[in-house]
Amino acid sequence: MLVVFAVILAALVLFALEPVPIDITAIGVMVTLMLLGPVTTALADAGLLAAPVAPVTAEQGISGFASQATITVLAMFVLSAGVQRTGVVQILGRKIAAFTGDSESRQLGAIIGVVSPISGFINNTAAVAILLPMVTDLAHEGKTSPSKLLMPLSFASMFGGTLTLIGTSTNILASEIASRPEFLGRPFGMFEFTALGAVVGVAGVAYLMTVGRWLTPERIEPREDLTEEFEMADYLTEVVVREDSPIVGDTVQSALQETDFDVDLVQLIRGEEVFLEPLGPKTIQAGDIFAIRTDRDTLVELLDAEGLDLLPDVTVDEDELEQAERGQNLVEVVIAPGSFLVSESLASTNFRQRYDATVLAVRRGPELVRKRMDRMQLRVGDTLLVQATGDSIDRLNNNRNFIVAQEVERPEYRESKIPVAVGLILSVVGVAALTPVPIVVAALAGALGMVLTGCLKPTEVYDAVQWDVIFLLAGVIPLGIALEATGGADLLAELLVASSGTLPVLGVLALMYAVTAVLTNIVSNNAAVVLMVPVAADAAVQLGASVFAFILAVTFAASTAFMTPVGYQTNLFVYGPGGYRFTDYLKVGAPLQLVFTVVTTLGIAVLYGVTP
């Protein structure tokens, strides 16, 4: 038990600090648990240990990969991608947004009204990724700060995900754990906690539209021009190549892109023509005008060294940067969870050449970086201000490593497949809810249907899956098994019950919710549910209370992490585009977490009872 507690403590520290991605930590936990048996057996045989320590067998260690929860979540990613490819969510969002105008109240109501129900039927992480561009555009068009809309988008997707079994990976995982014979002995039904989810949702909407709206900060001023939003006035300018410039006749790549100066060539203006990336092969001519990104001190050195003159009275704004195609050439791009760019830099990934795109600035929460960006180690949620051709933006938009935070005007949605995709989702829900067919079978059949009907191409299936989530699930499931098998869960339950003193059962239930919520905000939601469901079940048994009620409290607490940007993936999605500070989540999320503690606990007591 002590060994397992040590592994859990190490895992929690690594989950919280993230020196490596959390899915890698989860796999490390799985491997550690499996290695303990043979390693300690060898030490015991050598007389160095009194007895071997084997918390899990090899079969139990890899059981996460064969878990119904893991496979169901995988299938749900495919189903969500099939719906996304049809464009139905974007179309619905635009139609509703058309009625909002510049009223912040209507905008907020429309966003919450769209994302909450959608998150009950497709993965809520996917719902936020799909709707993020619509919300950002809505803010710009309505002259509303995106900060006022994006955090509510994330929060509403979380409590919307509690409406059904398939709304979040947390629900599916909790159902899988609950089905073990030592706990409930059965999985959750598709709509078993929908009534509670609706009650929680009403409370959440009421909070976000009133107190939450007042508490949510306006970190980014409402501006239509992205160069103003990223405060680029002192970093963008235009220069002209003089007749006597030493770089005349050189290629752009050899002359300026390989210089030691911290400068990026954004576009080339030659006569009536405007060129974007790739600029490297072009030969520089006298009279060429370059739009460049650099700071003022570097600009002075650059002008002297390269024979350039500053163009006076020129403002390099969004219109100037989009004159190449008279269309959308400037966008915000968010680094998505699971992106290969995480922990890499623009230089190490060869970003500019790989995507024919120029990064003008990086926003990390409230911090704006507009110089020396090439070596900056990127994180999930970082927002890049990118200038590129329409084709390059399309490629970024179709790449699961990124979320383009504006509606791209040229996406190839398969609108003719909307009835098919929606029908497949409803069929999966109906079959799982009304027939003996397990949810994992229904979800896999639906995923296969998405491919066979042409909603998804076969080559898109693997890109649809967030593999970091799959490996996270597979890695942490053995940790819960080890905690239960060694008696650790029972001990933690005893400590929790003892520490609650004279609290009634309802008070202990609220305490269980609160402990899980705090844990979820520090580590991942899936890790929290794996650790806390066994503890909740054992605590319920010791109190003579309803095991279902206690497991449900843990499930809802692990599905709603409002107090930190790292507690839930959707919070990270909006962290950069909203310009939030870490403490903003605590300021807005802590009162909501307290409201949910009370509402969920009372809701469980009224709807399901807290005694068997």
Side-chain angles (χ1 to χ4, degrees):
M1 190 191 303
L2 289 173
V3 170
V4 171
F5 281 152
V7 173
I8 290 173
L9 180 61
L12 292 180
V13 171
L14 292 173
F15 281 141
L17 300 179
E18 281 197 67
V20 295
I22 59 174
D23 51 314
I24 301 301
T25 296
I27 295 300
V29 167
M30 180 189 73
V31 172
T32 300
L33 290 172
M34 290 191 294
L35 281 175
L36 280 172
V39 170
T40 56
T41 297
L43 292 174
D45 291 343
L48 299 176
L49 278 180
V53 178
V56 297
T57 64
E59 290 75 17
Q60 290 173 321
I62 62 171
S63 62
F65 286 104
S67 163
Q68 290 191 30
T70 305
I71 304 303
T72 302
V73 171
L74 186 151
M76 291 309 302
F77 281 132
V78 178
L79 285 166
S80 298
V83 173
Q84 181 179 358
R85 294 286 181 176
T86 67
V88 62
V89 178
Q90 290 89 338
I91 293 169
L92 176 63
R94 283 199 297 268
K95 286 186 179 298
I96 294 177
F99 296 101
T100 63
D102 58 359
S103 168
E104 185 182 309
S105 297
R106 290 202 300 271
Q107 291 170 353
L108 195 56
I111 290 165
I112 296 170
V114 171
V115 75
S116 297
I118 287 175
S119 296
F121 294 93
I122 68 172
N123 183 275
N124 60 350
T125 304
V128 171
I130 294 169
L131 291 172
L132 178 62
M134 183 271 289
V135 174
T136 305
D137 282 353
L138 185 64
H140 284 298
E141 291 166 12
K143 296 180 175 57
T144 302
S145 168
S147 312
K148 301 292 283 186
L149 303 179
L150 289 172
M151 191 180 289
L153 171 71
S154 175
F155 288 0
S157 76
M158 279 188 256
F159 57 70
T162 63
L163 289 170
T164 69
L165 174 62
I166 61 175
T168 70
S169 60
T170 313
N171 297 347
I172 296 169
L173 181 56
S175 176
E176 161 84 359
I177 299 170
S179 67
R180 294 175 189 163
E182 63 268 30
F183 302 139
L184 283 182
R186 64 171 182 83
F188 294 147
M190 177 63 70
F191 299 110
E192 189 164 3
F193 45 77
T194 299
L196 180 61
V199 170
V200 167
V202 170
V205 171
Y207 175 86
L208 291 177
M209 294 297 294
T210 54
V211 177
R213 179 181 170 189
W214 175 66
L215 290 175
T216 303
E218 186 178 292
R219 293 296 178 204
I220 297 175
E221 293 184 21
R223 287 171 175 156
E224 294 183 14
D225 194 302
L226 281 173
T227 58
E228 286 185 39
E229 188 174 301
F230 279 78
E231 301 174 14
M232 297 298 298
D234 292 333
Y235 293 88
L236 290 174
T237 191
E238 287 186 351
V239 296
V240 61
V241 180
R242 296 200 307 259
E243 293 281 353
D244 61 347
S245 170
I247 62 175
V248 171
D250 292 344
T251 64
V252 171
Q253 184 171 358
S254 62
L256 288 175
Q257 287 188 354
E258 295 180 355
T259 182
D260 290 332
F261 290 114
D262 175 32
V263 59
D264 281 316
L265 301 184
V266 180
Q267 65 183 19
L268 164 64
I269 303 171
R270 180 175 291 165
E272 298 297 318
E273 293 185 279
V274 182
F275 302 96
L276 303 180
E277 285 291 338
L279 296 175
K282 296 193 178 299
T283 302
I284 297 173
Q285 300 176 11
D288 281 350
I289 297 173
F290 287 105
I292 63 173
R293 179 218 54 83
T294 191
D295 62 88
R296 293 303 181 194
D297 292 338
T298 305
L299 177 62
V300 172
E301 298 179 51
L302 183 70
L303 294 176
D304 291 337
E306 306 295 355
L308 306 173
D309 286 332
L310 184 66
L311 284 182
D313 302 323
V314 173
T315 300
V316 182
D317 56 12
E318 190 166 345
D319 288 339
E320 179 75 7
L321 295 178
E322 292 188 335
Q323 64 175 318
E325 298 179 339
R326 303 296 174 187
Q328 192 174 19
N329 297 123
L330 196 66
V331 292
E332 293 173 275
V333 176
V334 183
I335 304 296
S339 171
F340 78 94
L341 276 83
V342 175
S343 300
E344 296 289 342
S345 67
L346 297 174
S348 66
T349 57
N350 209 19
F351 183 93
R352 183 170 186 147
Q353 288 71 32
R354 185 191 293 256
Y355 298 107
D356 288 333
T358 305
V359 177
L360 305 182
V362 179
R363 180 190 285 124
R364 176 172 293 163
E367 179 188 2
L368 280 173
V369 181
R370 286 152 299 190
K371 58 182 181 180
R372 300 294 176 190
M373 295 172 291
D374 280 358
R375 305 295 172 184
M376 177 181 176
Q377 195 174 68
L378 298 171
R379 301 177 188 170
V380 174
D382 282 351
T383 304
L384 316 180
L385 179 62
V386 170
Q387 195 216 22
T389 63
D391 289 341
S392 294
I393 292 172
D394 280 343
R395 286 194 289 122
L396 290 170
N397 190 49
N398 292 324
N399 191 320
R400 66 176 301 273
N401 292 288
F402 309 101
I403 302 168
V404 176
Q406 280 82 36
E407 287 281 4
V408 176
E409 298 168 359
R410 298 164 290 272
E412 297 178 358
Y413 293 133
R414 295 160 195 157
E415 295 185 16
S416 64
K417 300 294 183 182
I418 288 176
V420 179
V422 173
L424 284 169
I425 290 286
L426 295 178
S427 297
V428 169
V429 172
V431 168
L434 303 174
T435 73
V437 176
I439 178 65
V440 63
V441 177
L444 282 172
L448 180 61
M450 285 289 183
V451 178
L452 296 180
T453 58
C455 297
L456 270 183
K457 296 176 182 177
T459 53
E460 294 170 342
V461 171
Y462 298 99
D463 285 338
V465 178
Q466 290 185 20
W467 292 104
D468 57 327
V469 175
I470 300 302
F471 279 90
L472 171 62
L473 288 171
V476 297
I477 284 173
L479 195 57
I481 295 173
L483 187 65
E484 181 66 22
T486 59
D490 190 54
L491 176 61
L492 291 175
E494 287 180 13
L495 293 173
L496 185 68
V497 172
S499 66
S500 61
T502 58
L503 285 178
V505 173
L506 194 62
V508 181
L509 185 68
L511 182 61
M512 183 66 66
Y513 182 99
V515 169
T516 306
V518 171
L519 185 63
T520 302
N521 278 283
I522 298 172
V523 300
S524 86
N525 51 324
N526 292 316
V529 86
V530 164
L531 294 173
M532 293 304 295
V533 165
V535 175
D538 287 345
V541 170
Q542 292 177 29
L543 290 167
S546 166
V547 174
F548 173 77
F550 273 67
I551 292 179
L552 193 57
V554 165
T555 303
F556 269 61
S559 295
T560 49
F562 305 122
M563 295 190 293
T564 67
V566 298
Y568 210 87
Q569 283 188 333
T570 58
N571 285 347
L572 278 175
F573 279 177
V574 302
Y575 183 54
Y580 299 116
R581 296 174 182 166
F582 194 97
T583 53
D584 290 338
Y585 288 86
L586 188 62
K587 176 183 174 183
V588 183
L592 181 58
Q593 204 87 64
L594 182 60
V595 169
F596 272 29
T597 302
V598 175
V599 171
T600 306
T601 304
L602 293 177
I604 290 173
V606 172
L607 294 171
Y608 309 102
V610 294
T611 54

